[in-house]
């Protein structure tokens, strides 16, 4: 049994292990090449998060989805580089919006060089991703453009909040389908499509990817509350400090509205206040960590992962399918 990729995914087949390891190594080389510039400072900024590491979750999905066709097909590795560059670019922008100080265990680009440079570096990565994408054909460009539109729409909807009368939890899950699920779905779709997999299999893997992406983000929501910075690689409670209501907070509000318990209402009031104060932020984080709303968010994560796993039942049984099933378990494990 060998550990491959994020979360310690174990691959029990030597041939699959070799394909995945070789593919991820090629992606890593491709990321470094794609982030080089004739201006040394741009190279330093663009490679800041590449060299910090990361789970490479999306490239791993490209490699596993490609197992349903020809994993050595020429478009597989470049498409994995595209989805990871796109993801990295969004991280530069997200950290500016969130005023985050830490990302992947290192100072965020905005903390190190300022907001303007961080935004421009993200734009540089988008440009490099587009350059690679152009060589993969017009269909790939269209798929990526549609996914990116959904990603940005999800981000806008998160910022705008639910319209009057809309269930906040359902609104938030819609946000996640766009903001996170869209790019994870494209990772699976590119892997299958570039490998020449059957169209039906490609569609199944795309649907699996979107559901897995939602589960992945829900696990991140739980980690943002439950973990320390050593575990998550970023500052705990960042979303709380920025007033972003992720699923644990939404479940808390739901419980407060339904039952009216004094301690719940007090915590809702605390979370609704100014959490830029370190003492108030620490108190809110500590109280939410032991609240049943966090346990409920964990259960929601499990359910989302189960929905992803159920999609795989339409695929032929094989080692690659087993690895994709194990990823569902690994996502749940991250959430505790």
């Amino acid at each position: 049994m060998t550990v491959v990729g994020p979360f310690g995914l174990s691959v029990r087949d030597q041939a699959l292990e070799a394909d995945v390891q070789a593919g991820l190594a090629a992606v890593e080389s491709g990321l470094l090449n794609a982030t080089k510039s004739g201006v040394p400072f741009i190279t330093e900024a663009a490679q800041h998060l590449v060299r910090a590491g990361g789970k490479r979750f999306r490239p791993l999905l490209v490699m596993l989805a490609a197992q349903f066709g020809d994993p050595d097909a020429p478009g597989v590795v470049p498409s994995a580089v595209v989805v990871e560059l796109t993801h990295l670019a969004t991280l530069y922008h997200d950290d500016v919006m969130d005023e985050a100080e830490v990302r992947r265990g290192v100072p965020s680009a905005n903390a190190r060089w300022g907001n303007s440079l961080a935004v421009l570096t993200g734009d540089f990565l988008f440009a490099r991703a587009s350059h690679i994408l152009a060589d993969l054909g017009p269909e790939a460009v269209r798929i990526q453009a549609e996914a990116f539109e959904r990603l940005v729409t999800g981000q806008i909807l998160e910022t705008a909040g639910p319209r009057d009368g809309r269930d906040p939890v359902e609104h938030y899950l819609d946000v996640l389908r766009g903001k996170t699920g869209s790019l994870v779905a494209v990772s699976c779709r590119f892997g299958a499509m570039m490998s020449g997999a059957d169209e039906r299999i490609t569609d199944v893997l795309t649907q699996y990817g979107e559901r897995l992406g939602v589960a992945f983000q829900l696990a991140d929501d739980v980690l943002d509350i439950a973990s320390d910075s050593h575990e998550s690689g970023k500052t705990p409670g960042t979303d709380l400090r920025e007033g972003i209501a992720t699923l644990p907070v939404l479940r808390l509000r739901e419980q407060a509205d339904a039952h009216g318990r004094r301690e719940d209402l007090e915590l809702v009031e605390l979370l609704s206040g100014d959490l830029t104060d370190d003492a108030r932020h620490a108190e809110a984080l500590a109280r939410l960590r032991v609240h049943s709303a966090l346990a409920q968010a964990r259960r929601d994560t499990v359910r989302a992962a189960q929905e992803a796993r159920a999609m795989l039942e339409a695929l032929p049984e094989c080692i690659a399918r087993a690895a994709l099933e194990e990823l569902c378990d690994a996502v749940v494990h991250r959430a505790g």
Side-chain angles (χ1 to χ4, degrees):
M1 184 183 298
T2 304
V3 173
V4 176
F7 328 128
L9 173 67
S10 57
V11 173
R12 297 171 177 82
D13 180 85
Q14 289 185 347
L16 176 59
E17 175 201 335
D19 278 344
V20 171
Q21 292 282 22
L24 291 176
V27 169
E28 209 63 29
S29 177
L31 288 171
L32 290 174
N33 286 333
T35 49
K36 286 179 182 174
S37 166
V39 181
F41 179 69
I42 295 177
T43 301
E44 180 186 6
Q47 292 186 349
H48 180 63
L49 291 184
V50 174
R51 294 188 181 279
K55 293 173 283 291
R56 303 296 187 252
F57 179 53
R58 292 155 190 81
L60 176 64
L61 285 169
V62 175
M63 297 304 140
L64 291 175
Q67 295 296 319
F68 293 88
D70 175 9
D72 297 320
V76 172
V77 168
S79 68
V81 173
V82 165
V83 293
E84 187 66 8
L85 282 175
T86 304
H87 171 59
L88 288 169
T90 65
L91 297 185
Y92 280 83
H93 289 179
D94 284 351
D95 285 346
V96 170
M97 293 177 66
D98 298 341
E99 299 179 3
E101 296 183 356
V102 178
R103 169 71 69 174
R104 295 182 172 176
V106 300
S108 62
N110 48 294
R112 184 168 177 181
W113 293 296
N115 287 346
S116 295
L117 184 73
V119 169
L120 291 170
T121 302
D123 293 345
F124 177 81
L125 295 181
F126 283 131
R128 287 298 175 90
S130 298
H131 184 79
I132 298 169
L133 194 62
D135 292 332
L136 298 178
E139 178 68 2
V141 172
R142 182 186 64 79
I143 289 169
Q144 175 77 350
E146 289 175 353
F148 192 57
E149 179 183 345
R150 289 189 63 205
L151 190 158
V152 173
T153 299
Q155 185 70 65
I156 292 171
L157 288 175
E158 180 180 60
T159 303
R163 65 179 183 274
D164 289 345
R166 180 84 197 278
D167 176 50
V169 171
E170 283 306 311
H171 170 83
Y172 185 64
L173 292 175
D174 273 349
V175 165
L176 297 193
R177 291 181 191 108
K179 182 181 173 184
T180 304
S182 60
L183 193 57
V184 178
V186 164
S187 301
C188 292
R189 187 171 183 179
F190 274 169
M193 186 176 85
M194 296 299 169
S195 72
D198 180 82
E199 186 174 343
R200 181 187 65 83
I201 288 177
T202 300
D203 288 343
V204 169
L205 287 167
T206 302
Q207 293 178 60
Y208 160 82
E210 179 157 327
R211 287 159 177 78
L212 186 68
V214 171
F216 182 84
Q217 185 57 57
L218 292 178
D220 260 10
D221 288 354
V222 171
L223 280 172
D224 186 59
I225 303 299
S227 72
D228 59 29
S229 58
H230 176 72
E231 290 178 274
S232 63
K234 55 188 178 183
T235 305
T238 297
D239 291 327
L240 290 185
R241 194 181 292 275
E242 294 303 309
I244 298 171
T246 58
L247 193 62
V249 174
L250 293 175
R251 289 304 191 192
L252 167 67
R253 291 176 182 171
E254 198 173 57
Q255 290 186 28
D257 289 343
H259 306 295
R261 290 187 292 262
R262 180 174 58 82
E263 59 271 26
D264 292 351
L265 295 171
E266 288 176 353
L267 182 52
V268 167
E269 184 177 359
L270 176 63
L271 290 169
S272 301
D274 180 11
L275 294 183
T276 59
D277 177 79
D278 288 343
R280 287 174 60 86
H281 179 264
E283 180 188 353
L285 195 58
R287 291 176 65 177
L288 194 53
R289 279 174 172 167
V290 297
H291 197 280
S292 61
L294 186 62
Q296 187 172 0
R298 284 194 173 100
R299 291 194 294 272
D300 293 326
T301 304
V302 170
R303 184 167 56 252
Q306 289 171 338
E307 290 175 1
R309 190 186 188 107
M311 296 304 305
L312 297 174
E313 293 175 4
L315 297 178
E317 290 192 24
C318 59
I319 295 295
R321 171 179 154 175
L324 291 171
E325 289 171 343
E326 187 173 338
L327 270 181
C328 298
D329 298 335
V331 165
V332 170
H333 179 72
R334 291 176 71 233

